[in-house]
Coordinates of all heavy atoms in Angstrom, one line a residue:
D1 N 30.8 -152.8 -50.3 CA 31.4 -152.8 -51.6 C 32.3 -154.1 -51.7 O 33.4 -154.1 -51.0 CB 32.1 -151.5 -51.9 CG 32.8 -151.4 -53.2 OD1 32.5 -152.3 -54.1 OD2 33.5 -150.5 -53.4
I2 N 32.0 -154.9 -52.6 CA 32.8 -156.2 -52.7 C 34.2 -155.9 -53.1 O 35.2 -156.6 -52.7 CB 32.1 -157.1 -53.7 CG1 32.6 -158.6 -53.5 CG2 32.2 -156.8 -55.1 CD1 32.2 -159.3 -52.3
F3 N 34.5 -154.9 -53.9 CA 35.8 -154.7 -54.5 C 36.7 -154.0 -53.4 O 37.9 -154.2 -53.4 CB 35.8 -153.9 -55.8 CG 35.0 -154.6 -56.9 CD1 33.8 -154.3 -57.2 CD2 35.7 -155.7 -57.4 CE1 33.1 -155.0 -58.2 CE2 34.9 -156.5 -58.4 CZ 33.7 -156.1 -58.8
S4 N 36.1 -153.2 -52.5 CA 36.9 -152.6 -51.4 C 37.3 -153.8 -50.5 O 38.4 -153.8 -50.0 CB 36.0 -151.7 -50.6 OG 35.8 -150.5 -51.5
L5 N 36.4 -154.8 -50.3 CA 36.8 -155.9 -49.4 C 37.8 -156.7 -50.1 O 38.8 -157.2 -49.4 CB 35.5 -156.8 -49.2 CG 34.4 -156.3 -48.3 CD1 33.2 -157.1 -48.3 CD2 34.9 -156.1 -46.9
L6 N 37.8 -156.9 -51.3 CA 38.8 -157.6 -52.1 C 40.2 -156.9 -51.9 O 41.2 -157.6 -51.6 CB 38.4 -157.7 -53.6 CG 39.4 -158.4 -54.5 CD1 39.6 -159.9 -54.1 CD2 39.0 -158.3 -55.9
Q7 N 40.2 -155.6 -52.1 CA 41.4 -154.9 -51.9 C 42.0 -155.1 -50.5 O 43.2 -155.3 -50.3 CB 41.2 -153.4 -52.2 CG 42.4 -152.6 -52.0 CD 42.2 -151.1 -52.2 OE1 41.0 -150.7 -52.4 NE2 43.2 -150.3 -52.1
K8 N 41.1 -155.0 -49.5 CA 41.6 -155.1 -48.1 C 42.1 -156.5 -47.8 O 43.1 -156.7 -47.2 CB 40.4 -154.8 -47.1 CG 39.9 -153.4 -47.1 CD 41.0 -152.5 -46.6 CE 40.4 -151.0 -46.6 NZ 41.5 -150.1 -46.4
A9 N 41.4 -157.5 -48.4 CA 41.9 -158.9 -48.2 C 43.3 -159.1 -48.9 O 44.1 -159.7 -48.2 CB 40.9 -159.9 -48.8
M10 N 43.5 -158.5 -50.0 CA 44.8 -158.5 -50.7 C 45.8 -157.9 -49.9 O 47.0 -158.3 -49.7 CB 44.7 -158.0 -52.1 CG 43.9 -158.8 -53.1 SD 43.7 -158.0 -54.7 CE 45.3 -158.1 -55.3
E11 N 45.5 -156.7 -49.3 CA 46.5 -156.1 -48.4 C 46.8 -156.8 -47.2 O 48.0 -156.9 -46.8 CB 45.9 -154.7 -48.0 CG 45.9 -153.7 -49.2 CD 45.1 -152.4 -48.8 OE1 44.6 -152.3 -47.7 OE2 45.0 -151.5 -49.6
C12 N 45.9 -157.6 -46.6 CA 46.1 -158.4 -45.4 C 47.1 -159.5 -45.8 O 48.0 -159.8 -45.0 CB 44.8 -158.9 -44.9 SG 43.9 -157.6 -44.0
V13 N 46.8 -160.2 -46.9 CA 47.6 -161.4 -47.1 C 49.0 -161.0 -47.6 O 50.0 -161.8 -47.6 CB 47.0 -162.4 -48.2 CG1 45.7 -163.0 -47.6 CG2 46.8 -161.8 -49.5
E14 N 49.2 -159.8 -48.1 CA 50.5 -159.3 -48.6 C 51.5 -159.4 -47.4 O 52.7 -159.5 -47.6 CB 50.4 -157.9 -49.1 CG 51.6 -157.5 -49.8 CD 52.0 -158.3 -51.0 OE1 51.1 -158.8 -51.7 OE2 53.2 -158.4 -51.3
R15 N 51.1 -159.4 -46.2 CA 52.0 -159.4 -45.1 C 52.7 -160.8 -44.8 O 53.6 -160.9 -44.1 CB 51.2 -159.0 -43.8 CG 50.7 -157.7 -43.8 CD 49.9 -157.3 -42.6 NE 49.2 -156.1 -42.7 CZ 48.0 -155.8 -42.2 NH1 47.4 -156.7 -41.4 NH2 47.3 -154.7 -42.4
Y16 N 52.1 -161.8 -45.4 CA 52.6 -163.2 -45.2 C 53.7 -163.4 -46.3 O 53.5 -163.9 -47.4 CB 51.5 -164.2 -45.4 CG 50.4 -164.1 -44.3 CD1 49.2 -163.5 -44.6 CD2 50.7 -164.6 -43.1 CE1 48.2 -163.4 -43.6 CE2 49.7 -164.5 -42.1 CZ 48.5 -163.9 -42.4 OH 47.5 -163.8 -41.4
E17 N 54.9 -163.0 -45.9 CA 56.0 -163.1 -46.9 C 56.4 -164.6 -47.2 O 57.1 -164.8 -48.3 CB 57.3 -162.3 -46.3 CG 57.0 -160.9 -46.1 CD 58.2 -160.1 -45.6 OE1 59.2 -160.7 -45.3 OE2 57.9 -158.9 -45.2
S18 N 56.0 -165.5 -46.3 CA 56.5 -166.8 -46.6 C 55.5 -167.5 -47.7 O 55.9 -168.7 -48.2 CB 56.4 -167.7 -45.3 OG 55.1 -167.7 -44.8
L19 N 54.4 -166.9 -48.0 CA 53.5 -167.5 -49.0 C 53.9 -167.0 -50.4 O 54.3 -165.9 -50.6 CB 52.1 -167.1 -48.8 CG 51.4 -167.6 -47.4 CD1 50.0 -166.9 -47.2 CD2 51.4 -169.1 -47.3
T20 N 53.6 -167.9 -51.4 CA 53.8 -167.5 -52.8 C 52.7 -166.6 -53.2 O 51.6 -166.5 -52.6 CB 53.9 -168.7 -53.7 OG1 52.7 -169.4 -53.7 CG2 55.1 -169.6 -53.2
G21 N 52.8 -166.0 -54.4 CA 51.7 -165.2 -54.9 C 50.5 -166.0 -55.2 O 49.4 -165.5 -54.9
I22 N 50.7 -167.2 -55.7 CA 49.5 -168.1 -55.9 C 48.8 -168.5 -54.6 O 47.6 -168.5 -54.5 CB 50.0 -169.4 -56.7 CG1 50.4 -169.0 -58.1 CG2 48.8 -170.4 -56.8 CD1 51.1 -170.1 -58.9
Q23 N 49.6 -168.8 -53.6 CA 49.0 -169.1 -52.3 C 48.2 -167.9 -51.7 O 47.2 -168.1 -51.1 CB 50.1 -169.5 -51.3 CG 50.7 -170.9 -51.6 CD 51.9 -171.2 -50.8 OE1 52.7 -170.3 -50.4 NE2 52.1 -172.4 -50.4
K24 N 48.8 -166.8 -51.9 CA 48.1 -165.5 -51.4 C 46.8 -165.3 -52.2 O 45.8 -165.0 -51.6 CB 48.9 -164.3 -51.5 CG 50.2 -164.3 -50.6 CD 51.1 -163.1 -50.9 CE 52.4 -163.2 -50.1 NZ 53.3 -162.0 -50.5
K25 N 46.8 -165.5 -53.4 CA 45.6 -165.4 -54.2 C 44.5 -166.4 -53.9 O 43.4 -166.0 -53.7 CB 46.0 -165.6 -55.8 CG 44.9 -165.4 -56.7 CD 45.4 -165.5 -58.2 CE 44.4 -165.2 -59.2 NZ 44.9 -165.4 -60.5
Q26 N 45.0 -167.6 -53.6 CA 44.0 -168.7 -53.2 C 43.5 -168.3 -51.8 O 42.2 -168.5 -51.6 CB 44.7 -170.0 -53.1 CG 45.0 -170.6 -54.5 CD 43.8 -170.7 -55.4 OE1 42.7 -171.1 -55.0 NE2 43.9 -170.2 -56.7
M27 N 44.3 -167.7 -50.9 CA 43.7 -167.4 -49.6 C 42.7 -166.3 -49.7 O 41.7 -166.3 -49.0 CB 44.9 -166.9 -48.7 CG 44.5 -166.6 -47.3 SD 45.9 -166.1 -46.3 CE 46.7 -167.6 -46.0
V28 N 43.0 -165.3 -50.6 CA 42.0 -164.2 -50.7 C 40.7 -164.7 -51.4 O 39.7 -164.4 -51.0 CB 42.6 -163.1 -51.7 CG1 41.6 -162.1 -52.2 CG2 43.8 -162.4 -50.9
L29 N 40.8 -165.6 -52.4 CA 39.7 -166.1 -53.0 C 38.8 -167.0 -52.0 O 37.5 -166.8 -52.0 CB 40.0 -167.0 -54.2 CG 40.6 -166.3 -55.4 CD1 41.1 -167.2 -56.4 CD2 39.5 -165.4 -56.0
K30 N 39.4 -167.7 -51.2 CA 38.7 -168.5 -50.1 C 38.0 -167.6 -49.1 O 36.9 -167.7 -48.8 CB 39.6 -169.5 -49.4 CG 40.0 -170.7 -50.2 CD 40.8 -171.6 -49.5 CE 41.3 -172.8 -50.3 NZ 42.2 -173.7 -49.7
A31 N 38.7 -166.6 -48.7 CA 38.1 -165.5 -47.8 C 36.9 -164.8 -48.4 O 35.9 -164.7 -47.7 CB 39.2 -164.5 -47.3
M32 N 37.1 -164.4 -49.7 CA 36.0 -163.7 -50.4 C 34.8 -164.6 -50.6 O 33.7 -164.2 -50.5 CB 36.6 -163.1 -51.6 CG 37.6 -162.0 -51.5 SD 37.1 -160.7 -50.6 CE 35.6 -160.0 -51.5
Q33 N 35.1 -165.9 -50.9 CA 34.0 -166.8 -51.1 C 33.2 -167.0 -49.8 O 32.0 -167.0 -49.8 CB 34.5 -168.2 -51.6 CG 33.3 -169.1 -51.9 CD 33.8 -170.3 -52.8 OE1 34.9 -170.5 -53.0 NE2 32.8 -171.1 -53.1
H34 N 33.9 -167.0 -48.7 CA 33.3 -167.2 -47.4 C 32.4 -165.9 -47.1 O 31.3 -166.1 -46.6 CB 34.3 -167.4 -46.3 CG 33.8 -167.4 -44.9 ND1 33.1 -168.5 -44.4 CD2 33.7 -166.5 -43.9 CE1 32.7 -168.3 -43.2 NE2 33.0 -167.1 -42.9
I35 N 32.9 -164.8 -47.4 CA 32.2 -163.5 -47.2 C 30.9 -163.5 -48.0 O 29.8 -163.2 -47.6 CB 33.0 -162.3 -47.4 CG1 34.1 -162.2 -46.4 CG2 32.3 -161.0 -47.5 CD1 35.2 -161.2 -46.7
I36 N 31.1 -163.9 -49.3 CA 30.0 -163.9 -50.2 C 28.9 -164.9 -49.8 O 27.7 -164.6 -49.8 CB 30.5 -164.1 -51.6 CG1 31.3 -162.9 -52.1 CG2 29.4 -164.4 -52.6 CD1 32.1 -163.2 -53.4
D37 N 29.3 -166.0 -49.4 CA 28.4 -167.1 -48.9 C 27.6 -166.6 -47.7 O 26.4 -166.8 -47.7 CB 29.2 -168.4 -48.5 CG 29.7 -169.2 -49.7 OD1 29.2 -169.0 -50.8 OD2 30.6 -170.0 -49.5
S38 N 28.3 -165.8 -46.8 CA 27.6 -165.4 -45.7 C 26.7 -164.2 -45.9 O 25.6 -164.0 -45.2 CB 28.6 -165.0 -44.5 OG 29.4 -163.9 -44.9
K39 N 27.0 -163.4 -46.9 CA 26.2 -162.2 -47.2 C 25.2 -162.4 -48.3 O 24.1 -161.9 -48.3 CB 27.1 -161.0 -47.7 CG 28.1 -160.6 -46.6 CD 27.3 -160.0 -45.4 CE 28.3 -159.5 -44.3 NZ 27.6 -159.1 -43.1
I40 N 25.5 -163.2 -49.3 CA 24.5 -163.4 -50.4 C 23.8 -164.7 -50.3 O 22.7 -164.8 -50.8 CB 25.4 -163.3 -51.8 CG1 26.0 -162.0 -52.0 CG2 24.5 -163.7 -52.9 CD1 26.8 -161.8 -53.2
G41 N 24.4 -165.7 -49.7 CA 23.7 -167.0 -49.6 C 23.8 -167.8 -50.9 O 24.9 -167.8 -51.5
D42 N 22.7 -168.3 -51.2 CA 22.6 -169.2 -52.5 C 21.9 -168.5 -53.7 O 21.4 -169.2 -54.5 CB 21.9 -170.5 -52.1 CG 22.8 -171.4 -51.1 OD1 24.0 -171.3 -51.3 OD2 22.1 -172.1 -50.3
N43 N 22.0 -167.2 -53.8 CA 21.5 -166.6 -54.9 C 22.2 -167.0 -56.2 O 23.3 -166.8 -56.4 CB 21.7 -165.0 -54.7 CG 21.0 -164.2 -55.8 OD1 21.0 -164.6 -57.0 ND2 20.3 -163.2 -55.4
M44 N 21.5 -167.7 -57.0 CA 22.1 -168.4 -58.1 C 22.3 -167.5 -59.3 O 22.9 -167.9 -60.3 CB 21.1 -169.5 -58.6 CG 21.0 -170.6 -57.5 SD 22.5 -171.2 -56.8 CE 23.0 -172.5 -57.8
V45 N 21.9 -166.2 -59.2 CA 22.3 -165.3 -60.3 C 23.5 -164.4 -59.9 O 24.5 -164.3 -60.6 CB 21.1 -164.4 -60.6 CG1 21.4 -163.3 -61.6 CG2 19.9 -165.3 -61.1
I46 N 23.4 -163.8 -58.7 CA 24.4 -162.9 -58.3 C 25.8 -163.6 -57.9 O 26.9 -163.2 -58.2 CB 23.9 -162.0 -57.2 CG1 22.7 -161.1 -57.7 CG2 25.0 -161.1 -56.6 CD1 22.1 -160.3 -56.6
K47 N 25.6 -164.6 -57.1 CA 26.8 -165.3 -56.5 C 27.7 -165.8 -57.6 O 28.9 -165.5 -57.5 CB 26.4 -166.4 -55.6 CG 27.4 -167.1 -54.9 CD 26.9 -168.1 -53.9 CE 28.0 -168.9 -53.3 NZ 27.5 -169.9 -52.4
P48 N 27.3 -166.6 -58.6 CA 28.3 -167.0 -59.6 C 28.9 -165.8 -60.4 O 30.1 -165.9 -60.8 CB 27.5 -167.9 -60.5 CG 26.2 -168.2 -59.8 CD 26.0 -167.1 -58.8
T49 N 28.1 -164.8 -60.6 CA 28.7 -163.6 -61.3 C 29.8 -163.0 -60.5 O 30.9 -162.7 -61.1 CB 27.5 -162.6 -61.6 OG1 26.5 -163.2 -62.4 CG2 28.0 -161.4 -62.3
I50 N 29.5 -162.8 -59.3 CA 30.5 -162.1 -58.4 C 31.8 -163.0 -58.3 O 32.9 -162.6 -58.4 CB 30.0 -161.8 -57.0 CG1 28.9 -160.7 -57.2 CG2 31.1 -161.3 -56.1 CD1 28.2 -160.3 -55.9
L51 N 31.6 -164.3 -58.1 CA 32.7 -165.2 -57.9 C 33.5 -165.3 -59.2 O 34.7 -165.4 -59.1 CB 32.2 -166.6 -57.5 CG 31.6 -166.7 -56.1 CD1 31.0 -168.1 -55.9 CD2 32.7 -166.5 -55.0
S52 N 32.9 -165.2 -60.3 CA 33.6 -165.2 -61.6 C 34.5 -164.0 -61.9 O 35.4 -164.0 -62.6 CB 32.7 -165.5 -62.8 OG 31.9 -164.3 -63.0
L53 N 34.1 -162.9 -61.2 CA 34.8 -161.6 -61.3 C 36.0 -161.5 -60.4 O 37.0 -160.7 -60.7 CB 33.9 -160.5 -61.1 CG 32.8 -160.3 -62.2 CD1 31.8 -159.2 -61.7 CD2 33.4 -159.9 -63.5
L54 N 36.0 -162.3 -59.3 CA 37.1 -162.1 -58.4 C 38.5 -162.3 -58.8 O 39.4 -161.5 -58.6 CB 36.8 -163.0 -57.1 CG 35.6 -162.6 -56.2 CD1 35.5 -163.6 -55.2 CD2 35.7 -161.2 -55.7
E55 N 38.7 -163.4 -59.5 CA 40.1 -163.8 -59.9 C 40.6 -162.7 -60.9 O 41.7 -162.2 -60.9 CB 40.1 -165.2 -60.5 CG 41.6 -165.6 -60.7 CD 41.7 -167.2 -60.9 OE1 40.7 -167.9 -60.7 OE2 42.8 -167.5 -61.3
P56 N 39.8 -162.4 -62.0 CA 40.3 -161.4 -62.9 C 40.5 -160.0 -62.2 O 41.5 -159.3 -62.6 CB 39.2 -161.2 -64.0 CG 38.4 -162.5 -63.8 CD 38.5 -163.0 -62.4
C57 N 39.8 -159.7 -61.2 CA 39.9 -158.4 -60.5 C 41.3 -158.5 -59.7 O 42.0 -157.5 -59.7 CB 38.8 -158.1 -59.5 SG 37.3 -157.6 -60.4
I58 N 41.6 -159.6 -59.1 CA 42.8 -159.8 -58.4 C 44.0 -159.6 -59.4 O 44.9 -158.8 -59.1 CB 42.9 -161.1 -57.7 CG1 41.9 -161.2 -56.5 CG2 44.4 -161.4 -57.2 CD1 41.8 -162.5 -55.9
D59 N 43.9 -160.2 -60.5 CA 44.9 -160.2 -61.5 C 45.1 -158.7 -62.0 O 46.2 -158.2 -62.1 CB 44.6 -161.0 -62.7 CG 44.7 -162.5 -62.3 OD1 45.3 -162.9 -61.3 OD2 44.0 -163.3 -63.0
T60 N 44.0 -158.0 -62.2 CA 44.1 -156.6 -62.6 C 44.7 -155.7 -61.5 O 45.6 -154.9 -61.8 CB 42.7 -156.1 -62.9 OG1 42.1 -156.9 -63.9 CG2 42.8 -154.6 -63.4
I61 N 44.3 -155.9 -60.3 CA 44.9 -155.1 -59.2 C 46.4 -155.3 -59.1 O 47.2 -154.4 -58.9 CB 44.1 -155.4 -57.8 CG1 42.7 -154.8 -57.9 CG2 44.9 -154.8 -56.6 CD1 41.9 -155.3 -56.7
I62 N 46.8 -156.6 -59.3 CA 48.3 -156.9 -59.1 C 49.0 -156.3 -60.4 O 50.0 -155.7 -60.1 CB 48.4 -158.5 -59.1 CG1 48.0 -159.0 -57.8 CG2 49.9 -158.8 -59.4 CD1 47.9 -160.5 -57.8
A63 N 48.4 -156.3 -61.5 CA 49.1 -155.7 -62.7 C 49.2 -154.3 -62.6 O 50.2 -153.7 -62.9 CB 48.2 -156.1 -64.0
V64 N 48.2 -153.6 -62.1 CA 48.2 -152.1 -61.8 C 49.2 -151.8 -60.8 O 50.1 -150.9 -61.0 CB 46.8 -151.6 -61.4 CG1 46.9 -150.1 -61.0 CG2 45.9 -151.7 -62.6
S65 N 49.4 -152.6 -59.7 CA 50.3 -152.3 -58.7 C 51.8 -152.5 -59.1 O 52.7 -151.9 -58.6 CB 50.0 -153.2 -57.4 OG 50.4 -154.5 -57.7
K66 N 52.0 -153.4 -60.2 CA 53.3 -153.6 -60.7 C 53.5 -152.7 -61.9 O 54.6 -152.9 -62.6 CB 53.4 -155.0 -61.2 CG 53.4 -156.1 -60.0 CD 53.6 -157.4 -60.6 CE 53.7 -158.4 -59.4 NZ 53.9 -159.8 -59.9
S67 N 52.7 -151.7 -62.1 CA 52.8 -150.8 -63.3 C 52.8 -151.5 -64.6 O 53.4 -150.9 -65.6 CB 54.1 -149.9 -63.1 OG 54.0 -149.2 -61.9
E68 N 52.1 -152.6 -64.7 CA 51.9 -153.2 -66.0 C 50.9 -152.6 -66.8 O 50.8 -152.8 -68.0 CB 51.6 -154.7 -65.8 CG 52.8 -155.4 -65.2 CD 52.5 -156.9 -64.8 OE1 51.4 -157.4 -65.1 OE2 53.4 -157.5 -64.2
W69 N 50.0 -151.8 -66.2 CA 49.0 -151.0 -66.9 C 49.3 -149.5 -66.8 O 49.7 -149.1 -65.7 CB 47.6 -151.2 -66.2 CG 46.9 -152.5 -66.7 CD1 47.5 -153.7 -67.1 CD2 45.5 -152.7 -66.7 NE1 46.5 -154.5 -67.4 CE2 45.3 -154.0 -67.1 CE3 44.5 -151.9 -66.3 CZ2 44.0 -154.5 -67.2 CZ3 43.1 -152.4 -66.4 CH2 43.0 -153.7 -66.9
L70 N 49.2 -148.9 -67.8 CA 49.4 -147.4 -67.8 C 48.1 -146.7 -67.6 O 47.2 -146.7 -68.5 CB 50.2 -147.0 -69.1 CG 51.4 -147.6 -69.4 CD1 52.0 -147.2 -70.7 CD2 52.4 -147.3 -68.3
L71 N 47.9 -146.1 -66.5 CA 46.7 -145.4 -66.2 C 46.9 -143.9 -66.1 O 48.1 -143.4 -66.0 CB 46.2 -145.8 -64.8 CG 45.8 -147.3 -64.7 CD1 45.4 -147.6 -63.3 CD2 44.7 -147.7 -65.7
N72 N 45.9 -143.2 -66.3 CA 45.9 -141.7 -66.3 C 46.9 -141.2 -67.4 O 47.6 -140.2 -67.1 CB 46.4 -141.2 -64.9 CG 45.4 -141.6 -63.8 OD1 44.2 -141.7 -64.0 ND2 45.9 -141.9 -62.6
L73 N 46.8 -141.7 -68.5 CA 47.6 -141.2 -69.6 C 47.0 -139.8 -70.0 O 45.8 -139.7 -70.1 CB 47.7 -142.2 -70.8 CG 48.3 -143.5 -70.4 CD1 48.2 -144.4 -71.6 CD2 49.8 -143.3 -70.0
K74 N 47.8 -138.9 -70.3 CA 47.3 -137.7 -70.9 C 47.0 -137.8 -72.3 O 47.8 -138.4 -73.0 CB 48.4 -136.5 -70.6 CG 48.6 -136.2 -69.2 CD 49.5 -135.0 -69.0 CE 49.7 -134.7 -67.6 NZ 50.5 -133.5 -67.3
K75 N 45.8 -137.2 -72.6 CA 45.4 -137.2 -74.0 C 46.3 -136.3 -74.9 O 46.5 -135.1 -74.4 CB 43.9 -136.8 -74.1 CG 43.3 -137.2 -75.4 CD 41.9 -136.9 -75.3 CE 41.1 -137.3 -76.7 NZ 39.7 -137.0 -76.6
E76 N 46.8 -136.7 -76.0 CA 47.6 -135.9 -76.9 C 46.7 -134.9 -77.5 O 45.5 -135.1 -77.8 CB 48.3 -136.7 -77.9 CG 49.3 -137.6 -77.4 CD 50.2 -138.2 -78.4 OE1 50.3 -137.6 -79.6 OE2 50.7 -139.3 -78.3
T77 N 47.2 -133.7 -77.6 CA 46.5 -132.6 -78.2 C 46.5 -132.7 -79.8 O 47.4 -133.3 -80.3 CB 47.0 -131.2 -77.9 OG1 48.4 -131.2 -78.3 CG2 46.9 -131.0 -76.4
S78 N 45.4 -132.3 -80.3 CA 45.2 -132.5 -81.7 C 45.1 -131.1 -82.3 O 44.7 -130.1 -81.7 CB 43.9 -133.3 -82.0 OG 43.7 -133.2 -83.4
C79 N 45.4 -131.0 -83.6 CA 45.3 -129.7 -84.3 C 43.9 -129.4 -84.6 O 43.5 -128.2 -84.7 CB 46.1 -129.7 -85.6 SG 45.4 -131.0 -86.8
C80 N 43.0 -130.4 -84.5 CA 41.5 -130.1 -84.7 C 40.8 -130.2 -83.3 O 41.0 -131.2 -82.6 CB 41.0 -131.3 -85.5 SG 41.7 -131.3 -87.2
K81 N 40.1 -129.2 -83.0 CA 39.5 -129.1 -81.7 C 38.4 -130.1 -81.4 O 38.1 -130.4 -80.3 CB 38.9 -127.7 -81.4 CG 40.1 -126.7 -81.5 CD 39.5 -125.3 -81.0 CE 40.7 -124.3 -81.1 NZ 41.0 -123.6 -79.9
F82 N 37.8 -130.6 -82.5 CA 36.7 -131.6 -82.3 C 37.3 -133.0 -82.1 O 36.5 -133.9 -81.8 CB 35.7 -131.6 -83.5 CG 36.3 -131.8 -84.8 CD1 36.5 -133.1 -85.3 CD2 36.9 -130.8 -85.6 CE1 37.0 -133.4 -86.5 CE2 37.4 -131.0 -86.8 CZ 37.5 -132.3 -87.3
L83 N 38.5 -133.3 -82.2 CA 39.1 -134.6 -82.1 C 39.6 -134.8 -80.6 O 40.1 -134.0 -80.0 CB 40.3 -134.8 -83.0 CG 39.8 -134.9 -84.5 CD1 41.0 -135.2 -85.4 CD2 38.9 -136.1 -84.8

């Protein structure tokens, strides 16, 4: 699962306190590109798609970890049962 690998890579680089956030992100992207190259090869359909999703996924994971996204919000009850 590519997203599990992404999460693990992000957890690994988090240990490098001397690196900036941008440097950590670049390190993760390079590592993931290496993994994708070795596993997918030159598939011209899947590879660009996956690579284009990595950076937004990293940004989303960071935003969630900083509580910038509100997840698991409880749905407000309505007076109408069908709503």
